[in-house]
Amino acid sequence: MAESPLPGEAPVSLNEARGWLRMGATVDDAVVAGLIRAATNICEAFIGQWLIVRAVEERIPIDAGAVRLAAQPVTGIDSLALLVPGGGERPLAEGDYRVTVGRDGSTRIAVERADDAERLRVAYRAGIADGPNGVPEAIRQGILRMTQHLHDARDGSGTAPPAAIAALWQPWRRLTLGSGR
């Protein structure tokens, strides 16, 4: 999955997690915040989609003039440029490429003429919701439960996460076969 230079906003607040964990004191807030981030990352990896919209930039090898973006679901393309040998960059206008969004949320970009370019730089935004309140409640509940599981496992117990977490996230899971690039 593509990496965003900025971490995504957490779909679950520290206060929600502290309430779920039945914690009164704020002594472990840094630990709980880290567990929320970890649970969110686990959720995004499981469902194959980013939860809250954030910006990303990818530099992708051009294969037969088409590339597939790693982050899903794409909400907007900000800019595209061909990266040419020698370090140059040639921006693309809207008529120079075609964007295709699949039923699974995957996005492919076909470049009309790549010429001597070997890579494509794509700046775009991806995510299910604009903010925490737009994330489906079942996903948020799964993140709270995963946070609790991670918190309980701090003592080193190697138990598997409860099946209820996967059941909560399953309806949003997007799978692909192969890299698609």
Side-chain angles (χ1 to χ4, degrees):
M1 184 166 276
E3 291 292 323
S4 173
L6 301 172
E9 188 177 356
V12 172
S13 73
L14 182 59
N15 284 336
E16 285 175 292
R18 288 175 68 243
W20 182 264
L21 295 171
R22 296 181 185 102
M23 297 177 75
T26 60
V27 175
D28 286 339
D29 278 359
V31 171
V32 174
L35 295 175
I36 293 168
R37 287 190 303 273
T40 300
N41 290 342
I42 292 167
C43 175
E44 287 182 339
F46 182 84
I47 68 172
Q49 301 183 77
W50 285 358
L51 297 176
I52 298 178
V53 174
R54 58 190 188 263
V56 64
E57 183 174 290
E58 285 188 73
R59 295 170 188 270
I60 311 165
I62 297 175
D63 183 25
V67 297
R68 182 175 174 167
L69 301 180
Q72 293 182 35
V74 173
T75 59
I77 305 289
D78 296 324
S79 68
L80 285 95
L82 293 170
L83 303 176
V84 295
E89 190 173 288
R90 192 166 57 242
L92 293 175
E94 281 190 37
D96 297 336
Y97 62 91
R98 186 177 68 255
V99 176
T100 306
V101 179
R103 291 191 319 190
D104 65 350
S106 63
T107 302
R108 292 179 54 87
I109 298 176
V111 178
E112 298 301 323
R113 288 186 45 219
D115 296 329
D116 59 341
E118 297 172 356
R119 298 176 77 75
L120 180 68
R121 182 186 56 74
V122 184
Y124 63 102
R125 289 163 278 118
I128 292 174
D130 288 329
N133 290 333
V135 174
E137 194 59 34
I139 291 176
R140 292 169 33 83
Q141 284 297 312
I143 290 171
L144 283 170
R145 290 169 187 258
M146 180 59 80
T147 302
Q148 179 181 14
H149 171 74
L150 295 171
H151 186 267
D152 293 346
R154 290 190 315 161
D155 63 3
S157 64
T159 62
I165 296 171
L168 288 165
W169 293 342
Q170 189 64 39
W172 288 273
R173 191 168 193 190
R174 301 293 176 257
L175 297 175
T176 60
L177 300 174
S179 70
R181 291 191 186 202

